[in-house]
Amino acid sequence: GAGVSQSPSNKVTEKGKDVELRCDPISGHTALYWYRQRLGQGLEFLIYFQGNSAPDKSGLPSDRFSAERTGESVSTLTIQRTQQEDSAVYLCASSLKGSGVIEQYFGPGTRLTVT
Amino acid sequence: QKEVEQDPGPLSVPEGAIVSLNCTYSNSAFQYFMWYRQYSRKGPELLMYTYSSGNKEDGRFTAQVDKSSKYISLFIRDSQPSDSATYLCAMSKGAQKLVFGQGTRLTINP
């Protein structure tokens, strides 16, 4: 079956521009997560959705970052007024409600470069 | 100090060797311990998870958790070139958020 998909796979943008990153979770997975991975680093948690609500937004680094999820499926991560330090791979993961933290399935990521 | 510390390597070993990967952590509330494998330009994939302390074995892979020392390990026996990847430890208090180590880049040389 289809896994988690993310688009675009690569995005180059100029400093100050806004970007939107998209995540399509596995069908039936009600939980969705966004992480950021800087070069040579582990993953940093950004936000968690259960259904369409976001009970944990604690990892969003600033108010330039926002995310939404509609219809318990697609999620969009938006970064406004991008800065060079936003350059990273943004990874999305999804899981069944019951398996939660244990079985998160990751997408391939969107590689964002801010010039 | 980071909540989870992992030696980034790189680690290079000959094919067939036993590999030991380790993480230490500072938060005693962590209950779930995972190991992920990440190939270049791919998302991480779950290898193994352990709840609380103890050992877990799956084929050539063994995960160990020592909560008293706040130390977890992943052992790979009979390592293969296809095991070459970055290995990430991750932990959780049981809520939805995972806290990851930096990742160790491993190369198995034929």
Side-chain angles (χ1 to χ4, degrees), chain A residues 2-3 9 14 18 20 26 29 41 47 51 67 69 72 80 83 94-95 102 106:
Chain A
S9 54
E14 291 180 354
D18 297 352
E20 282 190 356
I26 293 172
H29 281 194
Q41 301 295 314
I47 187 170
R69 188 179 185 196
E72 291 200 350
Q80 295 178 311
Q83 304 294 311
S94 70
S95 69
I102 296 172
F106 283 84

Side-chain angles (χ1 to χ4, degrees), chain A residues 96-109:
Chain A
L96 289 168
K97 183 178 181 180
S99 59
V101 72
I102 296 172
E103 293 192 67
Q104 295 186 19
Y105 293 85
F106 283 84

